[in-house]
Amino acid sequence: MAELQLQHEVEPQLLNGGDLNEEKEDADAPESVKKKRRKKKRSKTSAPAGTNEAEGDGEAGGVGDVTKQLEQQALEDKEREEDGEEDGDEGENSAGKKKKKKKKKKGLKGQTDPPSVPICELYPSGDFPKGEECEYPPSKDGRSAAWRTTSEEKRALDRANEEMWSDFRQAAEAHRQVRAYVRSWIKPGMTMIDICERLEDCSRKLIREDGLKAGLAFPTGCSINHCAAHYTPNAGDPTVLRYDDICKIDFGTHINGRIIDCAFTVTFNPKFDRLLEAVRDATNTGIKFAGIDVRLCDVGETIQEVMESYEVEIDGKTYQVKPIRNLNGHSIGQYRIHSGKTVPIVKGGEATRMEEGEAYAIETFGSTGRGAVHDDMECSHYMKNFNVGHVPIRLPRAKHLLNVINENFGTLAFCRRWLDRLGESKYLMALKNLCDLGIIDPYPPLCDIKGSYTAQYEHTILLRPTYKEVVSRGDDY
């Protein structure tokens, strides 16, 4: 106790001496340094007595010194954060640099506005967000599929394909962020070319486009009103989005050929809300009933039942919502958007069964028209035939164009705007020649009768050994 009292008597003198020295130095010091010294001085005078004793005694170690260092460090850190000032001392400088490096790393974990940070940088560990995981529906005889979630064998199979699931999830996260961005600015009065190019530019950044390893899986569909699918504007198309339009935004992303095919419908007039609700409900019903060993025709029957249960009133006229019977969902393969199996949206389709490990696009289209589509308008979508062998080509321009297609798109779909973007010109004759030879397949816009309205919703699902994963599911739909 006597030692503590002695320290109390000595401390005020030391503090006062320190104050005098600091006042002399303050006269010549820059304003930022003065500010720091004033903060330090305030912390010393307001510190508890036990701490002051340790600070006043130059030779005393222990708790007092540690407390002083901690307080000083806290003040300096706070000042660096608020004012962005550099410390004079070299040791403090290095500490400041370390602090700044940490801040940069944190900055990468947040997306910019507008989005520009690639998904692979947002999740450097490679652990991308999962979609909605659902248990498989019970079988026809009532047996539950819950055993799959606990089976060690199924879990091991799931882990064995983790790299593939991860590619799907990365592409799906890019899709979610791009569509959220598009919803924030799409409005009447914009040209369809502007909408598609802004969407595609953002998508290329987030997916970090890299040749055939990562990029856009197919052209952005923006079909309007009676046109249900496969419309994207060609160069010079003056079409403008209007308030009373109903626009289907259908775009895809891929990583290593693992394709996310996902679509939604944009409207501005609330008169279409009931039509959108019908199609969204039908798509979610199809997703719910899809599963391993489920017959494709059974999925179609449940979709039709739900969609036809809706009636909509548009401009004083009542319509029963009809599923577009000649449009289907489909299985998805690597670098192959339609890989062989079709998921009907009406009853009476194939009795083929879904299998473990497959990926499907479950999509439904509802219409106020005839409920059937036909080819119409100028073609914009094209895709190389996946199964085509060697075909001799005579036209040199056609040979050149095929090389461009192979190098940039492979067996993924593309559009004329994308050929323009690559610097190609005067290629229409060569493209027609490749179509005539069966090397390239054209996919013209698909339309119901004029004056009708069509809507679409679509998700990609993965039939994993343990769970059914709606990988493209988001907060929006």
Side-chain angles (χ1 to χ4, degrees):
M1 286 298 292
E3 189 180 20
L4 284 174
Q5 288 170 357
L6 181 64
Q7 287 176 350
H8 268 297
E9 291 169 14
V10 174
E11 186 194 353
Q13 297 170 9
L14 290 172
L15 284 173
N16 291 337
D19 290 343
L20 290 169
N21 291 337
E22 283 181 12
E23 281 172 10
K24 287 176 186 176
E25 290 168 5
D26 279 353
D28 302 316
E31 187 59 35
S32 60
V33 176
K34 284 181 187 176
K35 190 175 177 183
K36 276 189 189 178
R37 286 176 183 157
R38 282 198 295 274
K39 283 190 179 181
K40 288 178 189 176
K41 189 166 77 177
R42 280 200 297 273
S43 70
K44 286 177 185 177
T45 54
S46 61
T51 307
N52 284 343
E53 289 156 12
E55 288 172 353
D57 190 352
E59 294 177 11
V63 179
D65 286 337
V66 172
T67 310
K68 176 183 173 183
Q69 289 171 9
L70 288 173
E71 286 182 352
Q72 188 173 332
Q73 184 69 37
L75 279 168
E76 288 166 358
D77 288 349
K78 188 175 180 182
E79 195 161 349
R80 269 195 298 272
E81 285 173 18
E82 291 175 355
D83 305 324
E85 295 175 1
E86 289 293 332
D87 295 323
D89 183 69
E90 189 178 338
E92 288 173 350
N93 257 331
S94 62
K97 285 175 188 169
K98 284 181 187 172
K99 198 79 179 172
K100 283 184 179 177
K101 280 180 187 172
K102 283 183 184 175
K103 281 186 188 175
K104 282 182 185 174
K105 283 181 184 173
K106 282 181 183 174
L108 291 175
K109 293 188 179 177
Q111 187 53 274
T112 58
D113 184 21
S116 60
V117 181
I119 301 303
C120 58
E121 287 184 17
L122 290 177
Y123 299 92
S125 64
D127 188 15
F128 302 103
K130 290 183 179 179
E132 179 190 18
E133 290 184 326
C134 317
E135 275 191 15
Y136 286 105
S139 57
K140 287 268 186 181
D141 57 9
R143 284 180 301 158
S144 169
W147 64 273
R148 286 182 168 275
T149 62
T150 54
S151 164
E152 280 305 319
E153 181 191 353
K154 296 301 179 187
R155 284 179 173 181
L157 280 169
D158 208 12
R159 288 192 297 272
N161 289 311
E162 190 59 37
E163 190 176 336
M164 178 171 71
W165 309 140
S166 182
D167 286 343
F168 276 115
R169 288 170 189 148
Q170 183 180 348
E173 182 60 22
H175 197 287
R176 274 189 290 272
Q177 293 194 19
V178 171
R179 71 189 191 228
Y181 170 60
V182 170
R183 283 175 181 273
S184 71
W185 52 257
I186 190 169
K187 61 182 186 292
M190 298 182 72
T191 65
M192 303 316 294
I193 286 183
D194 187 30
I195 291 168
C196 290
E197 288 184 346
R198 281 182 71 176
L199 184 154
E200 288 165 2
D201 286 347
C202 179
S203 196
R204 286 186 175 101
K205 288 175 187 172
L206 298 200
I207 206 72
R208 187 178 264 174
E209 190 175 39
D210 181 18
L212 294 175
K213 291 181 182 176
L216 310 185
F218 52 86
T220 302
C222 53
S223 308
I224 299 173
N225 299 335
H226 71 288
C227 182
H230 296 174
Y231 164 76
T232 197
N234 289 322
D237 189 328
T239 307
V240 171
L241 186 63
R242 298 168 303 176
Y243 176 77
D244 284 325
D245 285 341
I246 180 166
C247 179
K248 283 71 65 183
I249 302 292
D250 187 356
F251 70 101
T253 52
H254 82 93
I255 297 287
N256 296 318
R258 305 300 178 184
I259 298 169
I260 293 297
D261 187 0
C262 188
F264 60 98
T265 301
V266 173
T267 60
F268 308 102
N269 193 326
K271 70 181 180 182
F272 297 117
D273 288 354
R274 185 73 173 160
L275 176 58
L276 268 59
E277 183 187 342
V279 179
R280 188 164 48 237
D281 191 6
T283 297
N284 286 331
T285 301
I287 290 167
K288 181 181 175 183
F289 279 86
I292 296 167
D293 291 333
V294 172
R295 296 192 310 174
L296 296 169
C297 57
D298 294 339
V299 177
E301 190 172 347
T302 57
I303 288 172
Q304 181 177 12
E305 188 179 331
V306 168
M307 196 176 295
E308 289 183 348
S309 69
Y310 282 83
E311 284 188 343
V312 299
E313 186 179 325
I314 299 173
D315 298 330
K317 192 172 179 182
T318 303
Y319 304 89
Q320 182 188 36
V321 182
K322 296 176 184 175
I324 299 179
R325 58 184 176 270
N326 56 341
L327 288 177
N328 308 285
H330 46 89
S331 57
I332 300 174
Q334 190 172 19
Y335 293 105
R336 191 177 187 186
I337 187 66
H338 298 163
S339 67
K341 294 183 180 179
T342 61
V343 185
I345 60 175
V346 291
K347 61 184 177 183
E350 300 175 34
T352 313
R353 295 181 186 272
M354 294 178 158
E355 296 175 50
E356 185 180 293
E358 289 181 324
Y360 281 88
I362 304 294
E363 61 182 318
T364 69
F365 294 83
S367 174
T368 61
R370 290 190 305 118
V373 291
H374 58 276
D375 294 350
D376 197 8
M377 304 195 298
E378 185 179 48
C379 187
S380 55
H381 284 54
Y382 299 87
M383 186 165 64
K384 186 181 176 186
N385 187 325
F386 193 85
N387 297 312
V388 74
H390 174 71
V391 177
I393 302 171
R394 294 177 62 187
L395 286 178
R397 289 188 73 87
K399 284 182 183 177
H400 167 75
L401 183 62
L402 182 59
N403 287 336
V404 170
I405 291 167
N406 285 335
E407 186 179 332
N408 292 279
F409 313 120
T411 53
L412 296 172
F414 61 95
C415 63
R416 282 159 54 176
R417 276 188 300 107
W418 291 3
L419 292 174
D420 298 337
R421 185 173 175 269
L422 292 170
E424 296 301 309
S425 61
K426 299 179 181 177
Y427 53 77
L428 288 179
M429 185 65 75
L431 187 58
K432 184 180 183 303
N433 182 241
L434 293 175
C435 292
D436 292 343
L437 291 170
I439 300 169
I440 301 294
D441 293 324
Y443 291 86
L446 301 170
C447 302
D448 203 332
I449 55 172
K450 286 187 178 178
S452 63
Y453 296 103
T454 59
Q456 174 196 16
Y457 277 94
E458 177 180 22
H459 274 301
T460 298
I461 65 170
L462 310 177
L463 302 186
R464 288 166 44 199
T466 51
Y467 288 98
K468 169 174 59 185
E469 184 176 343
V470 191
V471 69
S472 56
R473 178 77 79 194
D475 295 333
D476 45 359
Y477 65 94

